[in-house]
């Protein structure tokens, strides 16, 4: 779009004293004539640009015009580019790369060498990026979306007014107003399939005062208190998921306590440690673990042995 190109030209001139028209034409993939018209438009907008000819010629902002050329510091540019690259990892839209190119000038090429890298993609990159793009377009156009949603109680068909695409807790979510529940809800994208952007528009609702606190969606309802002793070999997993202060030493083991919002998540997480954990609470979880172990043993007993190959 033309406005994007004009902003890009101004950004370049704020970051470097001079740039030639051919360089601008190449960077923005337009003709010299288009760049010349852009320069005229920028001058008409009140920012005086000077074009000089010759070997050291180029386009620059007039010397007497007071413009703060430190609109972005080096650290701020690095933060912007890091964020853009993170979005780029899940977005098929080419605009991100173009914006990154506009912000990277010859004077700050070092910004391209990122120390901090963010990759928001997952195993489901193809379907995930497609969902994110569809939901973004639906939210901007105020169109309803419909999808099949899978959760611990089964599966349901939902229709929502999409308002936010959220990345948190290492996963992507869509936050919107659920027409079936008549309330705002959070849906995990990896559990959301058969997504359809409907030809039905909606009038945006007033968002609850302040930015929605997504933590609240995982603190509603019943809480399950988990208490267990872990082998010291599992210290790295506890630290990775809950931090260095999440346990204390007890009799050569690690005593860990935490509240879970979902019983099934708590069960799956606890069982993933195998015999490296001794569950102390809740009692129901201890019984479920025993029942699962018993079921596995019974399956092994009833499994028919394979016939030996005939010789």
């Amino acid at each position: 779009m033309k406005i994007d190109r004009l902003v890009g030209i101004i950004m370049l001139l704020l970051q470097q004293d001079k740039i030639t028209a051919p360089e601008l034409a190449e960077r923005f993939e337009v003709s010299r004539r288009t760049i010349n018209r852009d320069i005229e438009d920028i001058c008409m907008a009140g920012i005086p640009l000077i074009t000089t000819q010759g070997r050291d010629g180029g386009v620059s902002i007039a010397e007497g015009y007071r413009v703060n050329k430190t609109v972005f510091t080096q650290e701020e540019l690095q933060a912007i580019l890091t964020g853009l690259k993170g979005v780029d990892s899940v977005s098929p839209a080419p605009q991100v790369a173009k914006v990154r190119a506009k912000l990277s000038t010859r004077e700050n090429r070092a910004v391209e060498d990122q120390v901090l890298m963010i990759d928001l993609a997952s195993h489901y990159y193809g379907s995930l990026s497609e969902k994110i793009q569809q939901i973004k377009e639906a939210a901007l156009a105020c169109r309803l979306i419909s999808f099949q949603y899978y959760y611990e109680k089964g599966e349901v068909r939902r229709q929502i007014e999409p308002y936010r695409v959220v990345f948190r807790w290492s996963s992507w979510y869509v936050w919107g107003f659920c027409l079936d529940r008549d309330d705002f809800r959070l849906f995990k994208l990896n559990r959301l399939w058969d997504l359809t952007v409907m030809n039905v528009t909606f009038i945006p609702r007033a968002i609850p005062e302040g930015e929605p606190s997504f933590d609240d969606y995982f603190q509603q309802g019943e809480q399950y208190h988990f208490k267990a002793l872990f082998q010291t070999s599992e210290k790295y997993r506890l630290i990775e998921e809950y931090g260095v202060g999440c346990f204390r030493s007890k009799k050569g083991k690690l005593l860990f306590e935490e509240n879970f919002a979902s019983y099934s998540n708590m069960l799956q997480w606890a069982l993933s440690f195998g015999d490296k954990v001794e569950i102390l609470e809740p009692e129901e979880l201890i019984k479920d673990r025993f029942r699962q172990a018993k079921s596995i043993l019974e399956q092994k007993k009833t499994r028919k042995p394979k016939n030996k190959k005939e010789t």
Side-chain angles (χ1 to χ4, degrees), residues 95-112:
Q95 288 85 351
V96 174
K98 290 182 179 179
V99 173
R100 192 169 65 234
K102 293 174 186 177
L103 290 175
S104 301
T105 67
R106 283 181 296 186
E107 289 188 1
N108 55 46
R109 289 299 184 192
V111 176
E112 293 291 350

Side-chain angles (χ1 to χ4, degrees), residues 35-244:
I35 291 298
N36 290 335
R37 286 197 296 265
D38 289 342
I39 292 172
E40 292 176 2
D41 290 339
I42 293 173
C43 290
M44 290 176 62
I47 301 177
L49 301 185
I50 302 298
T51 302
T52 56
Q53 304 298 325
R55 183 176 180 179
D56 296 323
V59 182
S60 60
I61 296 176
E63 188 66 29
Y65 188 73
R66 300 289 296 177
V67 177
N68 181 8
K69 294 194 176 184
T70 58
V71 173
F72 294 121
T73 66
Q74 190 82 351
E75 291 76 15
E76 290 169 338
L77 279 172
Q78 287 177 341
I80 291 171
L81 292 174
T82 298
L84 289 173
K85 287 182 178 179
V87 173
D88 214 9
S89 67
V90 291
S91 174
Q95 288 85 351
V96 174
K98 290 182 179 179
V99 173
R100 192 169 65 234
K102 293 174 186 177
L103 290 175
S104 301
T105 67
R106 283 181 296 186
E107 289 188 1
N108 55 46
R109 289 299 184 192
V111 176
E112 293 291 350
D113 300 326
Q114 291 293 316
V115 175
L116 176 63
M117 301 298 294
I118 299 175
D119 190 341
L120 303 178
S122 73
H123 176 69
Y124 304 96
Y125 170 75
S127 60
L128 180 62
S129 60
E130 184 179 349
K131 290 175 189 176
I132 291 173
Q133 188 67 18
Q134 285 182 284
I135 295 170
K136 282 171 55 181
E137 293 174 356
L140 291 172
C142 296
R143 295 174 63 182
L144 296 178
I145 61 173
S146 171
F147 51 83
Q148 195 73 8
Y149 196 68
Y150 298 83
Y151 66 125
E152 59 183 294
K153 294 183 180 179
E155 59 182 275
V156 292
R157 192 76 190 175
R158 287 282 186 254
Q159 289 184 12
I160 73 167
E161 301 170 359
Y163 289 98
R164 301 277 193 279
V165 177
V166 182
F167 181 80
R168 203 164 184 190
W169 310 291
S170 302
S171 298
W172 285 93
Y173 300 80
V174 56
W175 180 77
F177 190 86
C178 179
L179 301 182
D180 300 280
R181 294 295 184 181
D182 196 32
D183 196 6
F184 286 95
R185 288 287 189 271
L186 198 65
F187 299 91
K188 196 170 187 177
L189 293 195
N190 281 348
R191 296 182 185 175
L192 182 160
W193 295 92
D194 190 21
L195 173 64
T196 302
V197 178
M198 304 173 66
N199 290 321
V200 180
T201 59
F202 62 89
I203 299 174
R205 300 170 188 268
I207 302 297
E209 188 174 349
E211 281 296 315
S213 175
F214 298 109
D215 286 331
D216 294 343
Y217 289 90
F218 288 84
Q219 295 172 357
Q220 296 174 352
E222 186 175 359
Q223 293 284 307
Y224 300 91
H225 184 70
F226 176 81
K227 184 177 181 181
L229 286 170
F230 288 85
Q231 299 287 341
T232 56
S233 61
E234 306 309 297
K235 181 187 291 187
Y236 76 99
R237 279 194 61 184
L238 297 179
I239 291 177
E240 177 183 344
E241 298 182 42
Y242 291 96
V244 293

